[in-house]
Amino acid sequence: MSFVNTLKQWDEAVACFERGDSAASLGTFLDIQEKNSKIFFNVGCLHLINKNLDAAEKAFDGSIGKDGHLAVAFFQRALTFYKKERYEESLADFQHAFRELRGNQLIDYKPLGLRYKLYACEVLHNMALAHAQLGQWEKAKETILTALNLRTEAKLSHIDRGLECILKQKVFEPVEVPAKVVFKPNKNYVAELEKKDYLGKAKVVSSIVFQDDFSGFAPLQPQDISVAPHRALEEGEPHTVLFEFVPETSDELAVVPGNIVFVLNSGEDNWASVIFNERRGLVPYNFLERLEITLSSKQDQDGTDKDDIPAPPRPEPLKRPKRKSESSLCVVKVHFTYTITMCMVPGLPYTTTLEKISNKLGLPAMAITLSYAHLDSGKIVIDEDTRMEDVWSCVRNGRLTLWCDLKEFGYLFPLFQSTLQGMSEQLQSQNQLMALHSYESSTPEDLEFHQGDTILLLSKVNEDWFEGQCNGKIGIFPASFVEEVSMKDK
């Protein structure tokens, strides 16, 4: 029997159980030919509901035989032995279940499909009850006291009542797995059971032939395209792609040899803006070769068609050209009452640099003072007499760190202070992120945080990476690990 059929029957049996039809659920489980440990466990639980103890014992034997480390199966078989008044076997299974906890206070079976937590203190609670049924009251007392030490939640108060009963040498009710829970199959596997048409219906998405909607497997027939030219022919010049190009930014296009693109314009930096598959983007121009296409079918004088055969591709692919944004910009981080980041061209004069930073802060240029850190001299104030070559020489790995301080202007200083405080609070309220998962740093530039931490967003490096501040540290982190904190959440 295939795994797919087993999964279908398992899911159907669980659906019947949740509808309250235990008989149909049990019948479907029993029809499964290759039962795993979880399915045997479910069969045993259904037999316990029907009070068929012999069948339940046999089913739990099968579950343990398939998985000798399933503590909850030992726990259920121990309860079955207890109900059959076989207390020594019940005690042995409770002890085995406790050993399979391996020193943990509990096992949460929810990730495995069972909405139940097996607590070590409850296993000891039932173990003490088995000792009591055997007349071993001292061992029962020691075991229930150990259970009290391992109790972690206030809802486990039945352990206190068990101690009271043992002190009075009275038996009490055992802890049982709720009758309404069974192991469910992995929901991701179940979702894949539905048939999906991954290919879909073939269709033409781009063609240089007007109204070309043929999508079958047949050689392209000669056609006259002079009736109505394709829109792309009017917007750009057709080029053939010679080499494969893998994009590194969102504004670049992926192309492979043989693709036909339409060049809209090309710049001196060797990048061309093209149209391909009704999308616009950038492709290195030296990866392309111009394709001559006329708007009428070419024919020889004798009436035969003449095919234009493009020249063979160049033997070696060219290197990816550098874009201006990749080579001429650096990230400037400015520490103020809050931290900002911005991109600048290295070598800007003092007045331009001061103006850009003051505009970013929303403050007059005359109200702030900039400084930078030099390896030999520490922090140095930047003014009109500063050699900006010294400042920009501190750029490391495309990054420069500056500090900004507020000048004191007498009666204007409190006004600036209140404005800055309001801006800082507004910035933090609009740029706070919540960590969905924990992230461990692998490089010194990474920002490490834990699930649930609040992160202050400083800048967006690109679509996939952010820069932020958390626990007094600043660094970059994956954007997929966080979500924005809305005002409603606060």
Side-chain angles (χ1 to χ4, degrees):
M1 188 176 187
S2 67
F3 173 72
V4 173
N5 292 332
T6 299
L7 200 61
K8 287 181 179 179
Q9 288 184 275
W10 187 358
D11 184 54
E12 180 183 348
V14 170
C16 293
F17 179 77
E18 291 179 341
R19 291 197 301 266
D21 193 350
S22 299
S25 177
L26 179 59
T28 305
F29 275 128
L30 293 175
D31 289 340
I32 298 176
Q33 296 180 7
E34 297 181 4
K35 301 179 182 64
N36 57 27
S37 178
K38 298 176 183 178
I39 294 176
F40 272 120
F41 179 88
N42 291 349
V43 172
C45 291
L46 290 173
H47 281 312
L48 278 182
I49 294 175
N50 297 331
K51 298 182 179 180
N52 188 348
L53 300 181
D54 291 336
E57 178 187 345
K58 184 177 179 180
F60 290 128
D61 287 341
S63 179
I64 294 170
K66 291 287 185 177
D67 185 358
H69 300 287
L70 191 62
V72 70
F74 283 104
F75 186 78
Q76 283 290 73
R77 192 174 70 174
L79 285 170
T80 306
F81 286 141
Y82 182 86
K83 293 181 179 181
K84 297 176 72 173
E85 298 183 357
R86 292 160 58 180
Y87 300 122
E88 291 184 356
E89 294 171 275
S90 175
L91 176 61
D93 268 0
F94 281 132
Q95 291 173 340
H96 206 138
F98 184 75
R99 285 196 297 270
E100 291 302 329
L101 283 164
R102 300 182 182 182
N104 297 304
Q105 292 184 338
L106 63 91
I107 296 179
D108 188 355
Y109 286 98
K110 184 177 180 181
L112 298 179
L114 182 72
R115 299 182 65 87
Y116 179 71
K117 294 180 181 179
L118 180 64
Y119 290 91
C121 58
E122 292 188 328
V123 177
L124 292 171
H125 173 276
N126 286 2
M127 194 186 305
L129 177 59
H131 279 301
Q133 290 286 12
L134 293 171
Q136 302 169 357
W137 293 104
E138 285 299 322
K139 290 185 178 180
K141 179 180 177 182
E142 293 176 2
T143 306
I144 199 71
L145 288 174
T146 305
L148 282 172
N149 292 331
L150 293 179
R151 184 177 62 180
T152 57
E153 300 181 16
K155 67 179 182 180
L156 305 174
S157 58
H158 48 273
I159 298 178
D160 295 320
R161 295 192 295 272
L163 177 61
E164 294 176 3
C165 292
I166 288 176
L167 293 176
K168 298 177 182 178
Q169 295 192 354
K170 294 182 179 180
V171 296
F172 44 91
E173 292 297 321
V175 175
E176 300 185 39
V177 176
K180 60 183 178 179
V181 297
V182 292
F183 276 107
K184 298 181 181 179
N186 189 303
K187 61 180 180 180
N188 295 325
Y189 293 161
V190 174
E192 293 297 327
L193 292 177
E194 299 180 4
K195 294 183 178 180
K196 297 180 180 179
D197 185 8
Y198 291 99
L199 297 178
K201 185 178 179 181
K203 64 178 181 178
V204 175
V205 296
S206 179
S207 175
I208 63 172
V209 181
F210 178 65
Q211 293 183 347
D212 180 15
D213 58 357
F214 179 75
S215 60
F217 294 93
L220 184 63
Q221 303 299 321
Q223 300 183 48
D224 186 1
I225 60 174
S226 61
V227 179
H230 193 278
R231 178 171 57 87
L233 287 173
E234 299 178 351
E235 296 184 359
E237 296 181 353
H239 285 65
T240 302
V241 178
L242 299 178
F243 309 107
E244 181 180 5
F245 175 66
V246 179
E248 295 182 358
T249 62
S250 59
D251 57 349
E252 297 172 2
L253 285 182
V255 291
V256 296
N259 289 154
I260 296 178
V261 300
F262 295 89
V263 177
L264 302 178
N265 57 71
S266 59
E268 296 179 357
D269 56 355
N270 200 27
W271 286 88
S273 177
V274 305
I275 293 180
F276 176 63
N277 281 350
E278 298 184 0
R279 294 181 57 194
R280 293 193 180 192
L282 297 177
V283 173
Y285 189 71
N286 55 357
F287 280 48
L288 311 176
E289 185 175 72
R290 186 168 181 176
L291 178 65
E292 297 292 342
I293 294 182
T294 59
L295 297 181
S296 60
S297 60
K298 296 184 178 181
Q299 295 184 348
D300 293 330
Q301 293 180 355
D302 57 0
T304 58
D305 292 337
K306 183 184 296 182
D307 296 330
D308 289 333
I309 302 177
R314 300 168 190 172
E316 296 182 359
L318 301 177
K319 295 183 178 179
R320 170 191 175 92
K322 288 189 176 182
R323 296 170 59 183
K324 293 181 179 180
S325 59
E326 296 174 330
S327 59
S328 60
L329 293 181
C330 75
V331 177
V332 178
K333 182 186 296 183
V334 183
H335 294 298
F336 194 37
T337 55
Y338 49 90
T339 303
I340 63 171
T341 56
M342 55 195 304
C343 292
M344 290 189 187
V345 178
L348 289 178
Y350 166 73
T351 54
T352 305
T353 304
L354 181 64
E355 181 181 359
K356 286 180 175 291
I357 295 175
S358 64
N359 290 338
K360 183 76 172 180
L361 296 173
L363 294 172
M366 60 178 295
I368 60 175
T369 301
L370 300 179
S371 57
Y372 72 102
H374 195 274
L375 295 177
D376 300 329
S377 307
K379 280 190 181 181
I380 301 176
V381 175
I382 305 173
D383 54 24
E384 296 178 353
D385 298 328
T386 302
R387 294 179 69 254
M388 293 304 291
E389 292 83 359
D390 297 337
V391 177
W392 293 111
S393 65
C394 297
V395 175
R396 297 291 183 271
N397 298 324
R399 294 174 176 267
L400 174 66
T401 302
L402 301 179
W403 284 263
C404 179
D405 297 306
L406 190 66
K407 296 180 180 178
E408 295 188 13
F409 284 93
Y411 67 93
L412 292 178
F413 182 72
L415 177 62
F416 284 140
Q417 286 289 85
S418 60
T419 303
L420 288 174
Q421 183 179 0
M423 290 174 59
S424 178
E425 293 175 354
Q426 182 180 8
L427 181 67
Q428 292 185 11
S429 65
Q430 293 178 352
N431 293 274
Q432 284 189 353
L433 305 174
M434 177 69 69
L436 298 175
H437 314 284
S438 299
Y439 178 66
E440 296 182 0
S441 60
S442 57
T443 64
E445 295 183 354
D446 290 348
L447 177 64
E448 184 171 300
F449 51 79
H450 300 284
Q451 181 180 4
D453 285 351
T454 300
I455 303 169
L456 178 62
L457 176 64
L458 301 180
S459 67
K460 295 184 178 180
V461 180
N462 52 41
E463 294 182 356
D464 300 323
W465 290 87
F466 291 168
E467 182 179 34
Q469 181 178 1
C470 181
N471 299 325
K473 298 181 180 179
I474 296 176
I476 62 174
F477 55 90
S480 58
F481 278 56
V482 298
E483 67 175 356
E484 184 177 357
V485 181
S486 64
M487 296 301 294
K488 182 178 181 181
D489 296 334
K490 299 174 185 178

